[in-house]
Amino acid sequence: MAPKIEKWHELAEKELKRSPDTIVWNTPEGIEVKPLYTAEDLEGIGHLDSLPGMKPFVRGPRATMYAGRPWTIRQYAGFSTAEESNAFYRKALAAGQQGISVAFDLATHRGYDSDHPRVVGDVGKAGVAIDSVEDMKILFDGIPLDQVSVSMTMNGAVIPILANFIVAGEEQGVPREKLSGTIQNDILKEFMVRNTYIYPPEPSMRIVADIIEYTAKEMPKFNSISISGYHIHEAGATLVQELAFTLADGREYVRAALKKGLNVDDFAGRLSFFFAIGMNFFMEISKLRAARLLWTRVMEEFEPKKPSSLMLRTHCQTSGVSLQEQDPYNNIIRTAFEAMSAVLGGTQSLHTNSFDEAIALPTEFSARIARNTQLILQHETGVTKVVDPLAGSYYIESLTKELADKAWALMEEIEAMGGMTRAVMSGLPKRMIEEAAIRKQAAIDRGETVIVGVNKYRPDNEEEVPILEIDNTAVRQAQVARLEKVKRQRDPKRVEAALAALEQVARSGEGNLLEAAVEAARHRATVGEISDALRRAFNENVATPVIVEKVYSGSYADDPEYQTVVDRLRGVAEKLKEKPRVMIAKLGQDGHDRGAKVIASAFHDIGFEVLAGPLFQTPEEAADMAIASKVHVVGASSLAAGHKTLVPQLIEELKKRGAENVIVVCGGVIPRQDYEFLYQQGVAAIFGPGSNVLECARTVLDLLEGRRRND
């Protein structure tokens, strides 16, 4: 140890009354963070002499970065109807937003038209409903698509949505070669975490490759894929897992495009990435720098000729999971820190979440605060004046190397399995992410991870926040009416012929799926009809839920509070003469299942008999399963604003079947303003964001004992 370091150790020990080595922090990624970093920690780091805009791009993909041009300010938004969303986009663009990011409703994500019986509670919730070209034309009315870039978060129904966008541009007078923006088109991530898939992995990968091929030839300004770590992060992954799985996905997509006969330099420059930015400030900065370093390493395998083909460009979004229902104005502060982290890490565009998104869709007021957070960063803080201002920091550079090394090791493990498609099909990434999510929840429940206003420093009184309310019934009726009009006015023979041609392309493996879908969209084939043509050729993907065991309980060891709940459950089981059975239900088309998976795993460890229902159930299907399995409790998980429609329907279906004694509870993103309505409908308990799992278990045991006493 150098003399200066020894002297610091002496001083630190006097202040701490113990060795500074005892305050080392071990991150969830397994990185040991010391209280002091020095020049010694930079020894052996190979990227220190790199420059912005030059390989390996650790310091940024462009030479001048924000000093030449600031990042693009985006807001991810979709409000029920195309008309309302259009009005929001136009106001936002006038107020300083520089690009549009479209959020679609869940019916659209899953390739259903608004009149489909499976999506009664989902139309217009959590995004905009798009059924045809006519909706897409309204969505971008008055917005010049040759001047404004459009990002669309779409994966499952990516073929019909991109086809509709292309035709809407044509009919606005903008040829496809002038359209700019990004389509997410990242299906491997959907199989890991987000779950808005439609078709099995292999035909889904063909869709990805066909879109890369079509856009490379026809849409030179359009990014064919946004390889997304965002949802991996939000599902509970560590930052190492987010890096490794995202970049391994990207490697797989490059290989799929090369199999189409494309030259790597023809499409590599149009690949983009999308990362989440959470609350570990310095780690998130380092994550973006490590991502660029590793992507250069990946792309060198394919021997491109253009330097730009080695370059990782990324959009970032502040974390939705870090937003809390309790004391929600704290979320403004969280988002500001996350935005600063993304900028110091070198993002090319950024979306800042609104503070009320842990409760409901953002209001105009909250969206303005989120947008202004970025405007203040750009214009008032001076962060745009210097390229990569943290370069050379002992801590940042060390973290960058640590993250890169650990992520690369995991990527090599995936390679040994045969690549990311095979890894996804094996279930390994999904299982690793779920285990990480459960550990995070246990750390919060135990108070080891402090969330201000949630498990520490809670306010005496919860302040009610105004929310945006969507009338799902009215939206659906309007969508169905427009859909019927479209079908009346189109030529049915041309539609039928175009859909048959699309299905033949899908079955034969010859031709380009997007090209055939564009022709179908021109004739006003709907999103659902185009998706159904592909369903007939490819079939649907059906996943079987798996409960992760012994991770939540392993985090508690011999904790007396945990053991008290376990012992109490045993007592309830003795009274019932059987283990209490709980079914975790995911109703509607909401594929977000982090909360449901955590609850299922934790309740199983505590001692409940847990039935994990499949994704995308209707209330009727959930009621039938609950009765057939003789469950005592159904826990409905809702994160997509369908609770006021779907949960009352579930209760009604149970009553119709004579099972009104089954206790129904629900959890997820549910505004407090809706609690009383749900209680009146028969919901026994509601667990909002930030709920402690042990408290949830105690409440369920209370309900079981209360029901027993009333019998």
Side-chain angles (χ1 to χ4, degrees):
M1 190 181 292
K4 284 186 178 180
I5 303 298
E6 285 183 354
K7 185 65 176 175
W8 176 83
H9 266 263
E10 291 173 15
L11 291 169
E13 284 182 23
K14 285 180 181 178
E15 291 177 12
L16 293 167
K17 303 292 191 282
R18 63 186 190 275
S19 169
D21 293 335
T22 62
I23 56 172
V24 167
W25 172 43
N26 288 294
T27 75
E29 293 76 19
I31 294 173
E32 188 178 88
V33 176
K34 305 179 295 183
L36 177 71
Y37 284 77
T38 69
E40 289 181 4
D41 294 290
L42 301 185
E43 291 175 7
I45 296 179
H47 65 259
L48 293 180
D49 60 351
S50 65
L51 292 171
M54 299 176 68
K55 188 176 108 172
F57 304 103
V58 176
R59 301 194 61 188
R62 302 294 181 194
T64 56
M65 288 299 288
Y66 309 142
R69 178 187 171 189
W71 67 92
T72 301
I73 297 173
R74 294 187 183 275
Q75 287 298 105
Y76 175 57
F79 294 93
S80 63
T81 65
E83 291 88 346
E84 287 191 38
S85 299
N86 174 263
F88 176 86
Y89 297 151
R90 291 171 73 167
K91 284 181 185 176
L93 289 167
Q97 186 172 311
Q98 296 152 339
I100 292 172
S101 291
V102 182
F104 297 96
D105 75 352
L106 292 169
T108 306
H109 271 291
R110 293 267 296 141
Y112 292 113
D113 287 334
S114 297
D115 60 357
H116 198 286
R118 295 197 72 86
V119 298
V120 171
D122 294 304
V123 176
K125 291 288 190 181
V128 60
I130 297 292
D131 292 319
S132 74
V133 171
E134 296 306 315
D135 291 327
M136 197 70 85
K137 287 169 68 176
I138 293 167
L139 188 66
F140 297 113
D141 182 44
I143 297 171
L145 293 177
D146 56 345
Q147 298 173 38
V148 176
S149 71
V150 176
S151 173
M152 292 179 284
T153 299
M154 178 53 64
N155 300 283
V158 64
I159 286 283
I161 286 299
L162 189 49
N164 276 289
F165 175 70
I166 290 166
V167 174
E170 288 175 355
E171 296 186 10
Q172 194 189 84
V174 181
R176 53 185 175 269
E177 61 266 21
K178 291 189 177 179
L179 294 171
S180 65
T182 304
I183 190 82
Q184 193 162 96
N185 192 28
D186 178 4
I187 202 62
L188 289 173
K189 167 262 301 178
E190 297 297 318
F191 291 113
M192 276 189 276
V193 291
R194 179 63 183 84
N195 300 314
T196 53
Y197 46 70
I198 302 174
Y199 319 106
E202 290 181 348
S204 295
M205 284 297 292
R206 181 189 164 193
I207 288 171
V208 171
D210 277 14
I211 289 172
I212 294 173
E213 178 186 48
Y214 183 94
T215 53
K217 294 175 180 176
E218 305 287 340
M219 303 170 71
K221 297 173 67 178
F222 201 82
N223 297 326
S224 55
I225 190 167
S226 175
I227 305 154
S228 176
Y230 184 86
H231 301 97
I232 295 171
H233 179 289
E234 296 295 272
T238 68
L239 300 196
V240 166
Q241 290 169 353
E242 180 188 359
L243 270 175
F245 296 151
T246 305
L247 298 178
D249 283 348
R251 182 190 254 157
E252 196 85 339
Y253 295 137
V254 171
R255 288 172 176 157
L258 293 174
K259 285 180 183 176
K260 298 290 293 185
L262 295 174
N263 182 295
V264 65
D265 287 316
D266 290 342
F267 65 86
R270 292 286 99 192
L271 302 176
S272 69
F273 286 80
F274 173 28
F275 287 102
I277 303 296
M279 285 298 291
N280 194 338
F281 187 79
F282 294 108
M283 195 79 79
E284 295 288 358
I285 294 168
S286 303
K287 179 181 76 181
L288 297 185
R289 303 173 89 248
R292 291 191 290 269
L293 175 69
L294 292 179
W295 187 244
T296 296
R297 191 183 300 174
V298 168
M299 291 305 293
E300 283 179 327
E301 298 169 6
F302 303 107
E303 300 179 351
K305 300 295 186 289
K306 296 179 182 176
S308 60
S309 295
L310 302 171
M311 179 192 301
L312 180 146
R313 298 162 302 112
T314 190
H315 169 71
C316 288
Q317 181 175 337
T318 58
S319 172
V321 168
S322 71
L323 302 177
Q324 304 299 328
E325 179 196 38
Q326 296 91 340
D327 211 0
Y329 291 109
N330 288 342
N331 294 333
I332 298 171
I333 304 160
R334 292 184 178 104
T335 295
F337 281 126
E338 290 171 346
M340 176 71 88
S341 193
V343 167
L344 291 174
T347 189
Q348 278 61 71
S349 73
L350 178 62
H351 163 82
T352 32
N353 287 328
S354 300
F355 74 87
D356 51 0
E357 287 184 75
I359 305 167
L361 288 170
T363 62
E364 271 194 48
F365 170 72
S366 65
R368 179 165 59 88
I369 292 173
R371 184 171 57 250
N372 286 349
T373 299
Q374 293 199 53
L375 290 170
I376 289 166
L377 267 177
Q378 280 194 1
H379 296 286
E380 297 187 29
T381 64
V383 295
T384 61
K385 307 301 183 188
V386 176
V387 180
D388 192 22
L390 296 183
S393 156
Y394 303 142
Y395 183 35
I396 289 292
E397 299 294 9
S398 296
L399 281 182
T400 299
K401 182 181 185 301
E402 285 259 28
L403 283 167
D405 288 349
K406 287 183 178 294
W408 187 256
L410 183 50
M411 290 170 71
E412 290 296 277
E413 185 179 336
I414 292 163
E415 282 293 280
M417 296 179 72
M420 200 60 184
T421 302
R422 294 198 177 194
V424 165
M425 292 172 75
S426 78
L428 173 70
K430 190 176 187 70
R431 185 171 67 253
M432 290 179 68
I433 293 165
E434 288 171 3
E435 289 176 359
I438 293 164
R439 289 190 191 96
K440 284 184 182 181
Q441 184 60 49
I444 293 168
D445 289 350
R446 286 172 60 86
E448 293 167 358
T449 299
V450 173
I451 310 293
V452 174
V454 177
N455 62 0
K456 201 168 184 180
Y457 311 114
R458 290 198 65 158
D460 294 331
N461 299 301
E462 292 287 351
E463 188 172 348
E464 193 170 283
V465 175
I467 63 166
L468 179 67
E469 182 77 24
I470 301 294
D471 186 343
N472 165 245
T473 302
V475 172
R476 187 170 186 269
Q477 287 172 349
Q479 284 299 123
V480 171
R482 184 149 61 224
L483 197 54
E484 290 172 347
K485 183 180 178 182
V486 167
K487 289 181 178 180
R488 284 196 307 270
Q489 293 179 340
R490 68 188 187 179
D491 185 331
K493 289 185 178 179
R494 288 187 173 183
V495 175
E496 187 177 336
L499 289 171
L502 172 62
E503 186 175 343
Q504 178 57 27
V505 169
R507 288 186 184 279
S508 68
E510 297 177 1
N512 187 284
L513 292 165
L514 180 55
E515 184 177 9
V518 168
E519 188 62 25
R522 284 197 187 102
H523 296 300
R524 294 312 189 260
T526 68
V527 167
E529 289 169 337
I530 292 172
S531 299
D532 284 345
L534 298 178
R535 279 186 176 98
R536 289 191 293 272
F538 295 149
N539 297 318
E540 283 199 69
N541 187 72
V542 179
T544 302
V546 176
I547 296 174
V548 175
E549 300 179 20
K550 299 179 181 177
V551 174
Y552 192 84
S553 58
S555 299
Y556 272 86
D558 298 323
D559 184 272
E561 184 183 11
Y562 178 84
Q563 195 57 47
T564 299
V565 177
V566 171
D567 292 342
R568 186 178 168 203
L569 186 142
R570 289 195 189 111
V572 171
E574 286 177 11
K575 292 176 185 176
L576 292 172
K577 294 185 171 34
E578 59 183 337
K579 271 189 176 184
R581 284 188 297 279
V582 178
M583 173 180 165
I584 308 299
K586 288 294 299 180
L587 304 176
Q589 301 305 306
D590 174 22
H592 290 99
D593 63 351
R594 174 180 178 170
K597 289 288 183 69
V598 168
I599 290 291
S601 296
F603 270 46
H604 177 275
D605 283 2
I606 290 166
F608 289 92
E609 186 176 324
V610 179
L611 173 65
L615 290 168
F616 315 127
Q617 281 191 313
T618 64
E620 295 88 347
E621 290 166 345
D624 286 340
M625 179 176 278
I627 292 166
S629 303
K630 298 180 180 179
V631 303
H632 302 98
V633 181
V634 175
S637 171
S638 173
L639 285 107
H643 52 273
K644 289 180 73 174
T645 303
L646 296 168
V647 177
Q649 286 178 2
L650 170 63
I651 293 169
E652 185 59 32
E653 293 300 327
L654 288 168
K655 286 179 180 176
K656 282 182 187 177
R657 292 156 174 77
E660 57 270 9
N661 63 322
V662 174
I663 297 167
V664 176
V665 301
C666 59
V669 180
I670 301 172
R672 290 187 178 273
Q673 291 92 318
D674 293 348
Y675 281 22
E676 189 56 39
F677 168 82
L678 291 172
Y679 288 139
Q680 289 176 2
Q681 298 298 309
V683 172
I686 301 168
F687 308 112
S691 295
N692 182 293
V693 174
L694 289 185
E695 288 294 334
C696 296
R698 288 191 193 98
T699 300
V700 170
L701 291 173
D702 287 344
L703 292 168
L704 286 165
E705 289 186 321
R707 186 190 68 169
R708 190 70 182 171
R709 284 194 296 270
N710 292 335
D711 281 350

